[in-house]
Amino acid sequence: MNATLVLPELDTNSFWHDESGFPGIYDVEHFIKSLKYDVKIVERLPEIQSRGKNKKMKAFQIRPPRDAPISWYLTDALEKMKQHSAIYLTPFSHRLAEEIDNPEYQRLRCRVNYHALRFKPHIMKLSNMIVNKLRSEGHFMAIHLRFEMDMLAFAGCFDIFTPEEQNILKKYRKENFAEKELVYSARRAIGKCPLTPEEVGLILRAMGFDNTTRIYLAAGDLFGGDRFMKPFRSLFPRLENHNTVGPAEKFEAKGLVGSAVDYMVCLLSDIFIPTYDGPSNFANNLMGHRLYYGFRTTVRPDRKALAPIFIDRENGRTNGFEERVRAVMYGTEFGGPHRRVHPESFYTNSWPECFCQTTAQDPAHKCPPENVLEVLGGQLGEASESVRLSNWTSTVQEDE
């Protein structure tokens, strides 16, 4: 497309009610520098001359189709960009096909996700402080407890709540998601509902974790109040979050900053457990990030396989409960390398496109050096010098 990228805008008002945006949590200078050999990036749209006055350029808004192929961007999007000079693509989550028959495009995704996107220094410093404090008492586990209003409303999992709570969830769903007939029992039976805190606790206990296990909870406001957390807390009392384990001075991470801190602590934890990885960009990106940085242990519950076990337990059929849970859980990958199989997301598992070999017979498979940007800069400088020398030689020969 030969296009210039304007810094992305984050869709935060719908749930986070946080207007700090991309520059509020990400290191913009690092983002632009990291991708300078891939795409030109500017912080805002330029001003244009109109009737002798400077005016901000307006972008034409386009809604990309879900999982659009590259051809859509090279035809429809490019045509609109030529017509209007600037286009604004929104929404953009899941708007480019995940499976692209071009390894370099896939590697670019990893350069963006795992290298260019870096949180601001104060977020990195705070996250590192929390991890060090947790690790000073031994290993710790991080759990993304996705038992929040937006996800429960999206999943259509209402029946375990009071009538008043159900009305709140249904109202939120009607205002934010497409209308759809959802039957709780059917959704639950196929693993479409987020795991409850108690179910997470029972899984961990079946796997052999005891009440001395240190757990960091990455979660917003849990829907339904403390009655859902009480059974989990009785099994695992050593619970922390970014507010309880933060610095001694008063600190409260809200909105995007709190989510960014949770992301980094989960990334660096000894074990990470996502409880609902469906459409959750947070959990999916974390699983992919942990795989990319050394195959860190990730325990990924198979909700579909676990659903009938929990349903049996609720109906009084408890014989062999823990053995059945273990049989399901020990059949997972635990964050190890494995080829992606549909419907697994590229963002969850970028193997093998984004992985290189430290010692490779074929140079194409060898890992780039740590100072890859300096190397590329040096090569670009040498190429420019070569062009200047070539032009100077040609000029001398013509003069002669």
Side-chain angles (χ1 to χ4, degrees):
M1 293 178 72
N2 195 29
T4 296
L5 173 68
V6 180
L7 280 185
E9 292 182 359
L10 303 182
D11 177 21
T12 55
N13 292 328
S14 59
F15 182 73
W16 290 113
H17 305 294
D18 183 339
E19 298 181 358
S20 56
F22 190 96
I25 59 169
Y26 288 113
D27 185 334
V28 171
E29 184 180 348
H30 175 78
F31 180 73
I32 294 173
K33 181 181 177 182
S34 297
L35 298 173
K36 67 180 181 179
Y37 297 109
D38 296 298
V39 61
K40 182 182 177 182
I41 302 172
V42 295
E43 296 191 32
R44 60 188 64 84
L45 283 169
E47 292 186 339
I48 55 173
Q49 281 275 333
S50 177
R51 297 178 182 177
K53 295 182 179 180
N54 287 338
K55 290 186 177 181
K56 185 179 178 181
M57 179 187 289
K58 291 185 178 180
F60 181 77
Q61 186 168 317
I62 305 177
R63 184 184 181 91
R66 188 176 177 87
D67 298 321
I70 289 176
S71 58
W72 182 86
Y73 290 91
L74 296 178
T75 52
D76 296 53
L78 183 57
E79 182 182 344
K80 292 295 183 185
M81 191 172 71
K82 288 179 177 178
Q83 288 177 10
H84 301 277
S85 299
I87 55 175
Y88 178 45
L89 303 172
T90 182
F92 201 68
S93 180
H94 304 287
R95 301 295 154 169
L96 176 63
E98 289 198 13
E99 299 300 331
I100 299 174
D101 191 21
N102 186 323
E104 190 49 43
Y105 286 164
Q106 299 291 61
R107 285 192 283 270
L108 175 58
R109 277 175 157 160
C110 292
R111 285 200 294 280
V112 173
N113 286 347
Y114 310 139
H115 296 279
L117 286 172
R118 186 171 72 186
F119 294 123
K120 294 184 78 108
H122 72 280
I123 294 175
M124 300 293 279
K125 181 180 179 181
L126 176 60
S127 304
N128 193 50
M129 186 187 306
I130 290 175
V131 169
N132 289 339
K133 192 171 180 181
L134 288 167
R135 195 157 282 147
S136 67
E137 297 187 29
H139 297 298
F140 76 96
M141 171 192 301
I143 299 178
H144 183 220
L145 201 53
R146 199 67 168 95
F147 201 72
E148 297 152 336
M149 181 172 65
D150 65 322
M151 192 52 68
L152 290 163
F154 171 83
C157 301
F158 306 145
D159 290 25
I160 59 175
F161 298 100
T162 66
E164 293 78 14
E165 290 167 342
Q166 289 186 36
N167 288 335
I168 293 172
L169 291 172
K170 289 174 182 177
K171 181 175 182 291
Y172 187 91
R173 178 172 178 82
K174 185 176 181 180
E175 292 173 351
N176 293 279
F177 304 113
E179 191 173 341
K180 190 176 180 181
E181 186 69 28
L182 299 173
V183 179
Y184 170 73
S185 57
R187 301 283 290 172
R188 173 97 189 282
I190 58 174
K192 292 295 184 181
C193 289
L195 293 170
T196 68
E198 182 180 19
E199 288 170 343
V200 176
L202 291 171
I203 290 170
L204 294 178
R205 190 173 69 177
M207 294 181 70
F209 293 100
D210 61 27
N211 61 5
T212 65
T213 305
R214 196 96 184 276
I215 296 176
Y216 179 90
L217 288 180
D221 294 327
L222 298 190
F223 192 75
D226 193 57
R227 76 178 188 276
F228 284 102
M229 273 303 296
K230 194 172 180 180
F232 182 74
R233 194 180 293 112
S234 68
L235 292 170
F236 297 95
R238 302 187 69 192
L239 302 179
E240 304 282 5
N241 60 43
H242 56 234
N243 289 322
T244 63
V245 78
E249 62 270 18
K250 183 175 175 56
F251 165 78
E252 187 175 2
K254 293 182 178 180
L256 291 174
V257 172
S259 187
V261 170
D262 282 347
Y263 186 96
M264 287 306 302
V265 176
C266 289
L267 176 64
L268 299 172
S269 64
D270 298 295
I271 299 174
F272 171 62
I273 302 180
T275 61
Y276 191 74
D277 55 326
S280 172
N281 292 330
F282 184 99
N284 283 335
N285 287 349
L286 261 170
M287 286 189 283
H289 209 157
R290 288 175 65 86
L291 190 88
Y292 185 80
Y293 278 117
F295 307 111
R296 297 170 185 261
T297 302
T298 298
V299 178
R300 186 179 184 182
D302 184 340
R303 296 189 311 281
K304 186 175 182 180
L306 289 167
I309 303 174
F310 283 117
I311 292 171
D312 282 348
R313 180 179 180 274
E314 290 164 14
N315 292 324
R317 296 186 290 272
T318 59
N319 286 342
F321 171 77
E322 291 197 348
E323 290 81 359
R324 292 173 68 191
V325 170
R326 279 195 292 273
V328 171
M329 295 305 300
Y330 291 158
T332 64
E333 301 288 348
F334 290 103
H338 60 282
R339 282 195 172 272
R340 199 167 55 254
V341 177
H342 184 77
E344 187 174 24
S345 167
F346 175 84
Y347 298 105
T348 298
N349 178 15
S350 58
W351 177 278
E353 293 94 333
C354 291
F355 291 78
C356 56
Q357 299 172 16
T358 52
T359 56
Q361 292 183 344
D362 185 345
H365 298 155
K366 191 174 182 180
C367 291
E370 290 290 332
N371 60 336
V372 63
L373 287 179
E374 293 176 21
V375 172
L376 287 172
Q379 291 174 348
L380 186 63
E382 291 171 5
S384 300
E385 183 65 24
S386 176
V387 169
R388 285 196 296 271
L389 286 172
S390 176
N391 290 340
W392 182 79
T393 304
S394 298
T395 303
V396 170
Q397 289 174 345
E398 289 169 6
D399 290 343
E400 291 175 348

